[in-house]
């Protein structure tokens, strides 16, 4: 990390640096003065003596220099651009407005002379080294050629079709502009390169002569004018499109024109080494190629028969050939991969579009998937590595889209059985499809979804051989195989029992895979858990299926829990299915929910006993949590029956107490105490007792006993910690009840108890009993004296309360210091108590 010195040290360093700079500047100025004196013509003089260098010369005051806001080349370019634009506007105005004032000969003479002058002047300007001016004048000349073409149509070819003439004219202009740019380059080619010397002494080519050669081997002469060739390429985008529009061609012809133009652009972008030309051609190739590919894809999708689909496929294959050829010759690997990816996807769309009209609708996705899988054959060929990688990505993309198409079916097969929770034991459905579509519709044309999932799983197993990707591929293949088995019974409309059996076997197979997995067991174990949940919900259709399936799942996951690594998930799952089996058994026996709760309590007992025998915390904690959830379920089942609720709470307290016996589970004792107290309160409420003391004393007495035991073991424990909770549990609720009680017995008993607590606190010098007992005693006495105080206040005149308040304030002000001393003494006395 960078060390930042303190400000004083940094200031010292800056001063030292500045002194060194001043000394160096003085030395350089002295040397400069000597050199100036030595270069002046003067009579012979003795050699100059060494000039002493002062140690410190004050630096001259910096004179502010006003810098220009723009550079000279920038000003030049702006002026040339504006001049070219103005001349072009003038030429357009002359051609359109003033054209009719001249005769035929005058018109031809003016336009021809101006155009030739504009096209010839750049050659002279280039000879004088005025390249920017030459570019500006050349741009004017190119614009004049467009006006010449327009003028020719208006004068001599007025009867010709406008679009057809524009197509021919754009082609002619593209050829003329390209020839002009190449001709100027050939004329201006110097005989040989002139070399110059840079400031550092390096010899460089200052003329830029010679020939440039691209990586493809195409050579072009040096092009002093950069505008004609890109303009020619831009004009070459129009002829075929304008010709198709002039001929009223159909959608296929226009699409073919787009693709042919894109092929020309791709060829130019790959073969011509001029950067500006390649940029324009690349924009045209991507733009027109994308437009043409989209149009061809639309034609293929809307084809009404095999013939129309074949013609659209031919257009798509042309687009794919362009993309693949460009990928083959692309100079950058990433660009080659992207183009190969696009070419592969377009090929799949073309071949799949041919198959689609000839096959039923449900076979559309498998047909495209087969074409995508066929692309993997190119991976084993001798194609360049970026091209093979792009085709592999294209195949993977097609397979991914096919899997996404089948996912809704998997979701229905997995989530559809949940609907049986609302109509338990209503009767077995006729087929597996009816069993999973209780509340969800079955998608149309989805019968081939299992085939799609199985094919992609097989491709992952066979095709992915790289060591880095092999584990992930096998995991994905296992997941797809599981999804295939999950949706297959519903897709084939197998009987309901067959669907149950298939999911049961899938659960067993997933657990076996998890038990034998060498590296990771989580994916197959998760699949087993998901399948078992779907199987459990699916079995709710009939009573016998529910009991059989839940019992089998309980035993299956209990057996799997003893395998290494499966316990943290399999053991809680077994207990959960045991809980569900207990509920189902109670319902099958016709028991009420509150009676079934007693059967559910078997699960927390078993979980507590099992957790006590387990050594691994990773298994014991999930088991205990599952047992606690089962206990909460038992409590929820008895909410409507208070006596049974009290019994269940007490039994849960017993289970928690047994758990708290363990050394590492002492904290569960608090939960046990809360359960026992809750059981007592519920029982008292069931008996119709409404006195708060009946609820609070069972809490206060054990809490005070525990506080006494704790104080004996650790005398340093505060009285608030030992006795505060127990005393507050009874005194505070009783105080609120006494304030609303119209009888004398409760306030009297509360005052007596508060007095006893206060005396015990004063006798033993304990702060908590003294403060709590005294506060409750004072408030209880205030409650008893409140009616008399109200009577006295009503009997007094109205001026007496303000007078008394004023006297009280005066008294408080007069004795303020004494009261502070008294309060300090009381605080010191309380502080000396335990």
């Amino acid at each position: 990390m960078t060390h930042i010195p303190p400000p004083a040290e940094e200031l010292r360093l800056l001063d030292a640096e500045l002194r060194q700079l001043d000394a160096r500047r003085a030395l350089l100025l002295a040397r400069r003065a000597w050199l100036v004196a030595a270069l002046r013509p003067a009579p012979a003089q003795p050699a100059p003596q060494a000039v002493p260098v002062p140690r410190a010369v004050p630096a001259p005051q910096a004179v502010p220099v006003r810098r220009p806001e723009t550079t000279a080349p920038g000003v030049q370019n702006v002026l040339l651009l504006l001049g070219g634009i103005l001349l072009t506007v003038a030429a357009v105005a002359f051609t359109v407005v003033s054209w009719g004032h001249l005769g035929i000969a005058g018109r031809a003479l003016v336009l021809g002379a101006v155009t030739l002058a504009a096209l010839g002047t750049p050659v002279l300007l280039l000879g004088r080294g005025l390249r920017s001016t030459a570019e500006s004048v050349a741009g004017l000349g190119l614009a004049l050629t467009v006006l010449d073409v327009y003028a020719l149509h208006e004068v001599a070819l007025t009867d010709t079709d406008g679009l057809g003439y524009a197509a021919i004219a754009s082609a002619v202009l593209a050829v003329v502009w390209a020839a002009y740019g190449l001709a100027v380059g050939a004329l201006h080619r110097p005989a040989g390169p002139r070399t110059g010397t840079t400031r550092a002494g390096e010899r460089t080519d200052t003329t830029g002569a010679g020939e440039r050669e691209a990586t493809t081997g195409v050579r072009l002469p040096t092009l002093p004018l950069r505008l004609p060739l890109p303009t020619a390429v831009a004009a070459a985008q129009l002829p075929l499109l304008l010709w198709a529009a002039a001929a009223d061609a159909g959608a296929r012809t226009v699409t073919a024109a787009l693709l042919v133009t894109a092929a020309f652009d791709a060829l130019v972008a790959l073969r011509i080494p001029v950067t500006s030309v390649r940029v324009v051609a690349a924009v045209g190739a991507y733009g027109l190629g994308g437009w043409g590919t989209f149009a061809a894809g639309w034609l293929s999708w809307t084809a009404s028969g095999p013939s129309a689909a074949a013609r659209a496929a031919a257009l798509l294959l042309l687009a794919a050939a362009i993309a693949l050829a460009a990928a083959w010759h692309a100079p950058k690997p990433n660009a080659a991969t992207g183009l190969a990816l696009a070419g592969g996807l377009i090929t799949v769309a073309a071949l799949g579009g041919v198959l689609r009209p000839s096959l039923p609708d449900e076979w559309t996705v498998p047909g495209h998937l087969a074409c995508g899988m066929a692309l993997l054959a190119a991976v084993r060929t001798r194609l360049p590595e970026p091209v093979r990688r792009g085709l592999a990505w294209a195949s993977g993309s097609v397979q991914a889209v096919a899997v996404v198409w089948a996912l809704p079916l998997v979701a229905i097969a997995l989530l559809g059985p949940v609907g049986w929770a609302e109509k338990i034991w209503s009767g077995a459905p006729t087929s597996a499809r009816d069993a999973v579509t209780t509340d969800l519709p079955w998608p149309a044309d989805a019968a081939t979804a299992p085939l799609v999932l199985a094919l992609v799983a097989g491709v992952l197993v066979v095709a992915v051989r790289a060591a880095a990707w092999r584990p992930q591929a096998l995991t994905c293949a296992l997941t797809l195989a599981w999804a295939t088995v999950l949706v297959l019974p519903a897709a084939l409309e197998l009987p309901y029992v067959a669907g149950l059996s298939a999911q049961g076997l899938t659960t067993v197979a997933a657990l076996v895979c998890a038990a034998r997995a060498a590296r990771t067991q989580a994916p197959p174990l998760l699949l087993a858990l998901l399948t078992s949940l779907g199987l459990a919900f699916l079995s709710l259709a009939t009573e016998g299926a529910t009991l059989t399936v839940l019992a089998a799942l309980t035993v299956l996951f209990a057996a799997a829990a003893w395998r290494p690594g499966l316990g943290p998930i399999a053991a809680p799952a077994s207990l959960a299915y045991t809980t569900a089996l207990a509920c189902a058994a109670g319902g099958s026996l016709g028991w009420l929910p509150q009676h079934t709760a007693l059967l559910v309590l078997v699960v927390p007992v078993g979980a507590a006993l099992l957790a006590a025998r387990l050594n691994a915390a990773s298994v014991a904690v999930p088991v205990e949590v599952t047992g606690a959830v089962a206990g909460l379920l038992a409590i929820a089942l008895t909410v409507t029956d208070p006596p049974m609720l009290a019994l269940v709470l007490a039994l849960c307290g017993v289970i928690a107490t047994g758990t708290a016996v363990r050394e590492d589970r002492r904290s569960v004792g608090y939960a046990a105490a809360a359960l026992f107290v809750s059981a007592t309160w519920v029982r008292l409420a069931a008996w119709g007792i409404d006195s708060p003391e009946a609820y609070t004393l069972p809490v206060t007495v054990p809490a005070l006993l525990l506080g006494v035991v704790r104080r004996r073991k650790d005398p340093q424990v505060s009285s608030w910690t030992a006795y505060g909770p127990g005393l507050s549990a009874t005194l505070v609720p009783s105080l609120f009840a006494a304030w609303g009680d119209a009888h004398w017995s409760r306030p009297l008993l509360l005052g007596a108890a508060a007095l006893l607590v206060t005396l015990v606190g004063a006798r033993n010098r304990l702060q908590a009993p003294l403060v709590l007992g005294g506060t409750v005693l004072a408030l209880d006495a205030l409650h008893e004296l409140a009616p008399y105080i109200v009577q006295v206040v009503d009997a007094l005149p109205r001026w007496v309360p303000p007078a008394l308040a004023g006297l009280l304030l005066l008294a408080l002000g007069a004795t303020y210091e004494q009261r502070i001393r008294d309060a300090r003494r009381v605080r010191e006395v309380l502080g000396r108590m335990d």
Side-chain angles (χ1 to χ4, degrees):
M1 297 177 63
T2 304
H3 172 68
I4 300 177
E9 180 66 16
E10 186 176 1
L11 181 60
R12 187 184 65 80
L13 294 175
L14 291 177
D15 291 337
E17 292 288 340
L18 290 174
R19 284 193 296 271
Q20 293 180 5
L21 291 175
D22 291 339
R24 180 63 178 169
R25 179 179 176 81
L27 178 62
L28 294 177
L29 289 175
R31 182 63 178 173
R32 181 181 182 280
W34 182 84
L35 291 173
V36 170
L39 293 175
R40 288 177 182 174
Q45 295 181 359
Q49 298 179 355
V51 180
V53 180
R55 293 186 177 180
V57 178
Q61 186 177 2
V63 179
V65 180
R66 184 171 300 177
R67 297 181 178 179
E69 297 180 356
T70 184
T71 61
V75 175
Q76 164 196 307
N77 293 334
V78 170
L79 294 177
L80 293 176
L81 178 63
L82 290 176
I85 292 174
L86 292 177
L87 289 176
T88 304
V89 171
V92 172
F94 170 76
T95 304
V96 176
V97 178
S98 303
W99 184 254
H101 300 289
L102 298 175
I104 297 177
R107 300 171 189 173
L109 181 62
V110 170
L111 274 180
V114 173
T115 303
L116 292 176
L119 294 177
T121 303
V123 178
L124 301 177
L125 295 175
L126 289 173
R128 295 179 176 272
L130 302 176
R131 182 172 180 177
S132 298
T133 307
E135 289 280 2
S136 180
V137 177
L140 175 61
L142 298 181
L144 288 175
T145 56
V146 178
L147 295 178
D148 290 339
V149 171
Y150 167 75
L152 180 62
H153 179 269
E154 292 296 323
V155 173
L157 302 174
T158 55
D159 296 334
T160 58
D161 179 59
L163 290 176
Y165 179 79
I168 298 174
S170 59
V172 172
L173 287 177
V175 174
V176 170
W177 290 346
Y180 173 71
L182 296 175
V184 173
L187 291 176
H188 191 258
R189 182 189 304 177
R194 298 192 306 269
T195 58
T197 304
T198 62
R199 293 182 179 179
E202 299 177 355
R203 302 185 64 82
T204 58
D205 186 359
T206 59
T207 62
E211 294 182 350
R212 292 178 293 175
E213 183 175 355
T215 57
T216 56
V218 176
R219 296 182 179 181
L220 287 178
T222 302
L223 300 177
L225 294 179
R226 293 171 292 182
L227 188 60
L229 285 185
T231 309
V233 174
Q237 312 300 310
L238 301 176
L240 290 180
L241 289 177
L242 294 176
W243 168 79
D248 292 332
R252 293 183 181 84
T253 305
V254 175
T255 304
L258 290 171
L259 294 176
V260 171
T261 306
F264 167 77
D265 292 333
L267 180 63
V268 172
L270 293 173
R271 304 293 294 181
I272 302 301
V274 182
T275 303
S276 58
V277 175
R278 300 178 72 174
V279 170
V280 175
V283 171
Y286 282 110
L288 297 181
W291 184 9
T293 303
F294 176 78
W298 180 259
L299 292 174
S300 177
W301 183 259
T302 57
S304 57
S307 177
R311 291 193 295 270
L315 295 174
L316 285 173
L317 290 176
L318 174 60
I322 296 171
L324 293 175
W328 187 294
H329 299 284
K332 295 182 180 179
N334 292 335
T337 301
L339 290 171
L341 170 62
L345 293 177
I346 297 171
T347 303
V348 171
L351 300 179
V354 173
L355 297 176
R356 185 180 58 82
S358 304
L359 297 175
D361 292 340
E362 59 266 19
W363 288 94
T364 300
V365 175
H368 285 78
L369 177 60
C371 297
M373 293 167 56
L375 291 178
L376 293 176
V379 179
R380 305 296 180 183
T381 61
R382 295 184 179 180
L383 292 172
E385 172 62 23
V387 177
R388 287 188 281 119
R389 185 167 57 248
L391 292 176
W393 277 104
S395 178
S397 301
V398 173
Q399 296 177 50
V401 172
V403 171
V404 170
W405 170 79
L407 283 182
L409 223 63
V410 179
I412 291 174
L414 191 62
L415 302 177
V418 178
W420 287 103
E422 298 180 355
K423 40 185 178 181
I424 300 176
W425 299 348
S426 59
T430 57
S431 65
R433 181 178 296 185
D434 296 333
V436 299
T437 56
T438 54
D439 298 322
L440 300 173
W442 186 260
D445 304 330
T448 56
L451 177 61
V452 169
L453 296 172
L455 287 176
V456 177
V459 169
L460 289 174
V461 173
V462 175
V464 181
R465 294 293 183 180
W469 294 97
R470 185 68 176 173
Q472 294 84 346
L474 292 179
T475 301
C476 294
L478 176 64
T479 305
L480 293 175
W482 166 80
T484 302
V485 178
L486 189 66
V487 302
L488 188 60
L492 299 179
E493 296 188 80
L494 297 178
Y496 170 69
V497 178
L500 287 177
S501 302
Q503 293 205 14
L505 293 176
T506 304
T507 304
V508 174
L511 285 176
V512 171
C513 292
R516 295 183 177 181
R519 295 183 179 181
T520 174
Q521 299 172 321
L525 187 57
L526 180 60
L527 295 179
L529 189 60
L530 289 176
T531 310
S532 65
L533 287 174
L535 177 60
F537 280 109
L538 200 62
S539 67
L540 296 178
T542 61
E543 179 180 348
T546 302
L547 296 175
T548 303
V549 168
L550 292 178
L553 291 177
T554 300
V555 175
L556 181 62
F557 278 95
W562 296 105
R563 299 291 299 178
L566 302 184
I569 296 180
S574 178
L575 292 176
Y577 286 124
T578 304
T579 305
L581 179 61
C583 295
S588 177
L589 295 174
W591 291 2
L592 295 175
Q594 55 267 29
H595 298 152
T596 305
L598 297 176
L599 190 59
V600 174
L601 284 179
V602 176
V603 178
V605 174
L609 296 176
L610 180 61
R613 297 178 61 86
L614 294 174
N615 296 325
S618 59
V619 182
V621 173
V623 167
E624 290 175 339
V625 171
T626 307
V629 173
L632 293 176
L633 176 61
I635 294 173
L637 291 174
T638 58
V639 169
T640 58
D641 190 352
M644 188 61 69
L645 176 60
L647 176 61
V648 171
L649 287 172
L651 294 176
C652 291
V654 173
I655 298 172
T657 303
T659 304
V661 174
R662 296 164 50 190
E663 187 66 28
D664 56 341
R665 292 292 185 268
R666 297 298 189 192
S667 59
V668 184
Y670 296 103
L675 289 171
F676 282 128
V677 170
S678 301
T680 305
W681 287 357
V682 172
R683 173 54 63 181
L684 293 174
W687 286 340
I689 298 176
D690 55 356
S691 298
E693 291 78 11
Y695 300 90
T696 57
L697 286 177
V699 179
T700 297
V701 174
L704 292 178
L705 293 177
L706 291 176
V708 171
V709 173
R710 187 172 182 183
R711 287 270 298 179
R712 287 182 178 179
K713 292 183 177 180
D714 186 6
Q716 301 298 325
V717 175
S718 172
S719 61
W720 287 102
T721 303
Y723 306 122
L727 294 175
S728 302
T730 294
L731 293 178
V732 175
S734 297
L735 179 62
F736 282 105
W739 273 82
D741 195 349
H743 303 284
W744 58 273
S745 56
R746 186 188 302 275
L748 179 61
L749 295 175
L750 177 62
L755 178 60
L756 179 61
V757 170
T758 304
L759 294 176
V760 171
R763 172 68 179 80
N764 297 303
R765 303 179 68 183
L766 299 175
Q767 191 177 93
L770 181 61
V771 174
L772 289 175
T775 303
V776 173
L777 180 61
L779 293 176
D780 185 66
L782 179 62
H783 170 264
E784 293 301 313
L785 296 177
Y788 303 103
I789 295 175
V790 172
Q791 292 178 2
V792 171
V793 172
D794 290 340
L796 291 176
R798 296 183 179 273
W799 56 270
V800 174
L804 293 176
L807 292 175
L808 178 61
L809 292 176
L810 290 176
L812 290 175
T815 59
Y816 183 78
E817 184 177 2
Q818 182 64 35
R819 290 179 181 276
I820 291 178
R821 287 198 297 268
D822 295 341
R824 185 180 298 111
R825 291 174 182 174
V826 173
R827 185 170 61 252
E828 292 175 356
V829 171
L830 292 176
R832 288 193 295 269
M833 295 182 180
D834 292 338

